Amino acid sequence: MTEASHLPKAALYYYHGSVWASVPLLALEEKGYGDDEVDLKEVDIAKGENFVPSYLRLNPKGTVPTLVVPLQTTLAPDIESRYKAVQDTRAIVEFLDKSRSAQSRTHTTSSAPSPSLAPATIAFNSLSNEIIELLHSAPADPNALFYLNARSETDLQPLAKGLLPFLHGRRDTLVRLLTDSQSGAVQASEKTKAFWEVKKIAAEKFIQVFEDAGKATTELSDDARHRREEYLQSAVSEWAGLKEVLDTLNKEVIGPYTLGDQLSIADLHLAAWLARIGFLAGANATEDGNTVVGRIESHVGGDFSLPKEFSVAEARRRAGIPVTNVDTTERQSKLAAFWDSVKERPSWKKVYANGLH
């Protein structure tokens, strides 16, 4: 038995439909981690598994992803291991990047190349941080857009059909946890109970709107009509705010990747974020960049359009993609060029093998 087989493994807690959990999944592939080096443990957030006490001990915010890693001082086979939980997507990816390299002391079993994903210069590091901060900001929040993806009564019914099972599963788990905590069947602090209550109220707020989605406005009570109007106003506002985010990204990205020719940490965040926005706009993983960005532009509405100033041929050449049947004068947005580049990578094809999410 090799030394590596004695060592405790890291565990990545994720959900297959989570936008931000997709970032470390992409990182694992790009860094060449072996399948036997990191345990993947799915947390079904559609069933509220992220709210149970055992998971909240790892991540008190109840979010995914969470990376649980053995502390470096306890890696010897004869010592019981202690662990720490890394709970932020950005910190997880940085940890994965630094923990597997030619210079690291990682006990890796993989022989795959391990390119550094960290920006090579101070200027690139600053740009990378700006892009990542923007993607994780409130105006760009892909999870808010997930719930607010209906800006008219016509859009509301199909969205409700897809989201109600998800919301019911989460709400029902929270109700059970609160009931069990009151009876003593589940031990929970007052802080945890308050957390559960806040999450239950948030789920019920959407459930109330979506359960009435099949009714005409004239059939609604005054309270229900007010809830619908408030929801639709919020949805319109969220999607309108996305215009500035997309414009800024298209300007800041150097192309074809965020920092130019080489993939970096910022690309993993942008890839997962853009995949979610594309999914909400009705795109699929096999479509090219021009098609996907066109769907996003149309979904945002208001004649929104990104500048098409980037040479398609140049973008493909720099990304190492064959340049065939491409007019040398053809131009596309930088976000479209980014999509074309990242969708050809094995990491993307594995993480999005079952479609966008």
Side-chain angles (χ1 to χ4, degrees), residues 311-327:
S311 166
V312 175
E314 178 67 6
R316 294 186 180 182
R317 183 188 65 78
R318 292 171 63 179
I321 302 172
V323 182
T324 56
N325 301 319
V326 176
D327 190 320

Side-chain angles (χ1 to χ4, degrees), residues 10 50 63 91 132 157 196 198 228 239 252 259 273 289 327 335 353:
N50 53 313
T63 58
I132 292 171
Q157 193 166 353
W196 287 336
V198 167
R228 177 178 291 184
W239 282 97
E252 296 294 335
L259 303 182
W273 182 86
D327 190 320
L335 287 183

